[in-house]
Amino acid sequence: METSPISTITLSRKLKFHQLMIFELVLESGSFVRAANAMSLTQPAITKAIYDLELFFGSPLFERSNRGVTPTEFGVMLGRRVKSLIAETRYMTEEVNAFRTGEAGHVIVGTLISASAKLLPRAIVALRKATPGVLITVREGTTAQMFPALATGDLDIVVGRLPEQELPLSHAFPLKHEVLFHESFCAVVGCDHPLADSKGLSIADLMTEEWIFPLQESPSYNAVEKFFRDSKLGLPPHHVNSLSILTNIGLLLETDMIALMPRAAALQFVKAGLIVVLDLTKSANFGEVGFSIRADKDVNPACKNFIKCLRETAKSIFE
C-alpha cells in the first residue's frame, strides 16, 4: 500500500504542541513514568499522547521493554526536528518575556573544565546580581558533546577552551567563537606529594610518575600531546584519562598522581589548600578560552547579558 505524503496544513491541524512536548520528554528520559512526573500528568495520558502520534504518523516511535523505552529509527529522526521546534518555542517565550519585563529568561550554558572553576562561577554571580530573575542551567561535558547540543538549540552558549582553527570540530557546526583570554597548563599534585616542595623540575624528571590526562576526544588532549612532543618526549606510560574535575581532585588527594590543569582553575584549588602547583622549568600552552554561540541565530536577551558578564569577568581576572 502506497503511503500518502503529509502536508504542512495537515500537520498544523492534526498535531498538538503538548503531544510533541510529551514526545520530547519521553525521548530524553527514556521513560513514560518520568515524563508523566515532569509534566504532572498521569502515565495513561502520556501513553495516549504517544499512541495518537504513532497513529497519525503511521509508524511506531518507541520500542517498549521492562527497562523503559528506546526510540525507533523514525523516532530518532522525528526527535531531531521536535527538539529544534521546542528550542525555537523556548526562544520565542523568552524573548516575549524579556521584552515585557526586561529581566526574564533562561540561559542554558555548556561548560568545559577550563571555565568551570573560576570564569563561569564569577560570571554567573555577576549575572545573578544584574538580573536575579534569569534562570541559569549549567551542563558539563566534552567539546564533542557541547557543540552539537549548541547547534541544535539545546544549549545557548558554550564556555571553555576553544578548538584550534585547523581542527574539523571548529568548522563542523555553524558557530562563532570569541576569545576571552589565553590560558596555560600547570602540573599539580596533592599537598602531601613527595615532589610538592621540589624546585626546577623538568618534564623528564616526571616521566615515570603516574599522570591524569584529559579524554582523548577532548581538544585539550592535543595540547597535552604537543607539550610532551615539544619536550622531545612521548607521553608518560602510566596515565589515566579523566574529564571529571571532582574525580581528578580526589585522585590527587588520595594518590601521588600528577595532573595537567588550566592555571586559572588550578589556582582556585591551590587557594582552597587542596593541591600544589609544581615548579616546572617549562610551561605549557593550554590554548584560547572563550565562548561559542550559534552563528545563524541571535542569542536571547538573557544570554546577551550573560556574555557581557563573561567579558567583564575575564577582564577582571587578568587585570
Side-chain angles (χ1 to χ4, degrees):
M1 182 178 178
E2 186 176 348
T3 302
S4 301
I6 301 173
S7 68
T8 304
I9 294 176
T10 301
L11 277 175
S12 65
R13 287 177 177 172
K14 297 293 185 180
L15 285 186
K16 297 176 181 176
F17 190 73
H18 81 274
Q19 292 175 319
L20 299 180
M21 291 185 67
I22 289 172
F23 166 67
E24 200 264 345
L25 275 172
V26 173
L27 191 67
E28 285 294 311
S29 65
S31 166
F32 283 18
V33 174
R34 285 192 287 270
N37 292 337
M39 295 198 71
S40 300
L41 296 173
T42 63
Q43 186 176 344
I46 298 294
T47 302
K48 184 179 185 307
I50 297 300
Y51 173 79
D52 289 343
L53 284 175
E54 291 177 330
L55 189 65
F56 173 73
F57 287 113
S59 179
L61 299 175
F62 297 99
E63 295 177 354
R64 283 78 166 172
S65 71
N66 294 333
R67 293 176 293 180
V69 295
T70 55
T72 61
E73 186 176 355
F74 182 80
V76 171
M77 179 279 297
L78 182 65
R80 287 197 298 268
R81 294 298 182 181
V82 169
K83 279 178 178 289
S84 296
L85 177 63
I86 290 177
E88 288 296 328
T89 304
R90 178 170 63 84
Y91 293 148
M92 181 182 69
T93 303
E94 291 170 357
E95 288 175 9
V96 168
N97 287 332
F99 182 82
R100 294 173 65 189
T101 68
E103 293 186 348
H106 184 191
V107 183
I108 304 179
V109 184
T111 183
L112 312 169
I113 183 175
S114 53
S116 58
K118 190 169 186 177
L119 172 65
L120 188 56
R122 290 191 180 185
I124 290 174
V125 169
L127 182 66
R128 294 291 295 164
K129 287 181 179 178
T131 54
V134 172
L135 177 64
I136 305 167
T137 300
V138 178
R139 298 176 182 170
E140 191 174 53
T142 64
T143 308
Q145 295 168 327
M146 297 290 102
F147 278 10
L150 178 60
T152 59
D154 286 345
L155 298 174
D156 295 312
I157 186 170
V158 173
V159 184
R161 184 184 187 277
L162 301 176
E164 290 85 352
Q165 286 296 312
E166 61 269 21
L167 291 180
L169 185 62
S170 180
H171 309 284
F173 305 97
L175 306 176
K176 56 183 178 181
H177 315 281
E178 180 174 323
V179 178
L180 294 175
F181 57 86
H182 294 265
E183 181 64 292
S184 61
F185 269 129
C186 59
V188 298
V189 295
C191 295
D192 296 327
H193 194 284
L195 298 175
D197 297 322
S198 299
K199 304 296 181 183
L201 292 169
S202 69
I203 292 298
D205 296 330
L206 307 176
M207 288 300 291
T208 58
E209 302 291 328
E210 292 196 49
W211 289 74
I212 304 171
F213 290 158
L215 298 181
Q216 291 189 12
E217 58 266 30
S218 168
S220 58
Y221 186 83
N222 296 329
V224 171
E225 280 192 317
K226 185 177 186 303
F227 176 54
F228 283 94
R229 189 169 61 248
D230 290 347
S231 300
K232 310 301 181 185
L233 299 167
L235 289 179
H238 309 296
H239 64 267
V240 298
N241 299 92
S242 169
L243 191 69
S244 169
I245 189 68
L246 289 178
T247 299
N248 295 352
I249 293 296
L251 286 171
L252 294 175
L253 294 176
E254 297 292 332
T255 71
D256 287 338
M257 300 182 80
I258 304 174
L260 282 175
M261 190 176 292
R263 185 168 294 276
L267 293 180
Q268 290 289 90
F269 298 111
V270 170
K271 186 177 179 181
L274 295 174
I275 60 175
V276 174
V277 175
L278 290 180
D279 181 31
L280 294 181
T281 56
K282 180 178 181 180
S283 62
N285 178 40
F286 177 73
E288 298 172 334
V289 175
F291 64 85
S292 304
I293 56 177
R294 289 172 64 175
D296 58 351
K297 181 174 179 61
D298 289 336
V299 297
N300 61 51
C303 192
K304 286 181 180 178
N305 287 334
F306 180 62
I307 289 173
K308 180 182 177 182
C309 292
L310 280 171
R311 290 169 177 155
E312 292 175 351
T313 300
K315 184 179 179 181
S316 69
I317 289 175
F318 291 94
E319 280 182 344

